[in-house]
Amino acid sequence: MINRIDDETIKYVSILAKLELSGEERERAKKDMGRMLDYIDKLGELDTEGVEPMTHVFPVQNVFREDVVTNSDIREQLLANAPEQKDGMFVVPKTV
């Protein structure tokens, strides 16, 4: 294990995470973070030649419909269920 995590790094990370760590917790965090970095290095050794990059495990496709603009005047239908209307608009309570 390469010692890439020092006390200053642990102190900085604990400040960012708003954690107060005891001496024992700092040492344990230093070892844990070192193991994480070692694992990341190990993953870098994998042969990924020919493996297509992906953002999701399953093939994801856009399920949205095409955005098609239509001109329609459905004002009367929209206002049909309005509790109150005036001059073709909804009447709502005044808010300040």
Side-chain angles (χ1 to χ4, degrees):
M1 175 171 68
I2 300 172
N3 194 3
R4 294 179 276 193
I5 305 297
D6 57 0
D7 291 329
E8 289 299 314
T9 304
I10 294 296
K11 183 178 177 183
Y12 179 68
V13 171
S14 66
I15 290 170
L16 290 176
K18 297 183 183 195
L19 297 173
E20 291 185 26
L21 301 175
S22 67
E24 180 182 314
E25 290 171 328
R26 280 194 300 271
E27 287 302 313
R28 195 169 21 165
K30 193 187 315 185
K31 289 178 186 176
D32 288 345
M33 290 177 80
R35 283 197 301 261
M36 285 184 234
L37 292 175
D38 289 342
Y39 186 71
I40 290 169
D41 286 344
K42 192 172 196 169
L43 289 175
E45 296 172 6
L46 293 174
D47 179 23
T48 57
E49 190 68 35
V51 177
E52 184 177 333
M54 61 181 164
T55 57
H56 200 276
V57 179
F58 301 107
V60 178
Q61 300 171 2
N62 188 355
V63 295
F64 299 114
R65 62 170 171 76
E66 280 295 317
D67 190 14
V68 179
V69 178
T70 59
N71 293 328
S72 60
D73 186 18
I74 58 170
R75 178 185 293 191
E76 296 303 321
Q77 290 175 339
L78 294 174
L79 291 171
N81 293 323
E84 193 175 343
Q85 56 179 303
K86 180 179 178 183
D87 298 328
M89 293 178 273
F90 291 100
V91 176
V92 296
K94 184 177 180 179
T95 59
V96 179

